[in-house]
Amino acid sequence: MRQERTVQASIFDVFSTHEIGRELEAMSRWLDEHRDLLGLVARDLVRVGVKATGRQGLPAEAVLRCALLKQYR
């Protein structure tokens, strides 16, 4: 079963202070405040009728953050 979230150290403790860095930090804070989105993403990632074998894949939070970063940049 895919995890919703994997706790990791924040890259923003040492992240650059240029414009893009500040925008990414603001996006990250917003996502941290809206955890209810993770459940929606996790439900969309479930594949009905597929056996739960093999790799588990990225956690739902990583999928959401990657998708937002892709659209942003």
Side-chain angles (χ1 to χ4, degrees), residues 9-71:
S10 175
I11 65 169
F12 297 108
D13 295 336
V14 293
F15 203 76
S16 180
T17 57
H18 57 71
E19 181 182 354
I20 293 173
R22 288 190 302 272
E23 290 173 357
L24 291 174
E25 183 179 13
M27 290 169 62
S28 181
R29 270 188 271 122
W30 188 89
L31 287 170
D32 289 342
E33 293 168 1
H34 295 86
R35 295 253 178 248
D36 52 322
L37 294 174
L38 296 181
L40 298 172
V41 174
R43 279 194 299 266
D44 283 346
L45 294 172
V46 172
R47 296 178 68 193
V48 178
V50 176
K51 292 182 181 179
T53 60
R55 265 184 92 164
Q56 295 198 4
L58 289 173
E61 181 179 27
V63 172
L64 174 61
R65 288 177 184 269
C66 287
L68 289 174
L69 184 60
K70 177 187 176 289
Q71 289 303 114

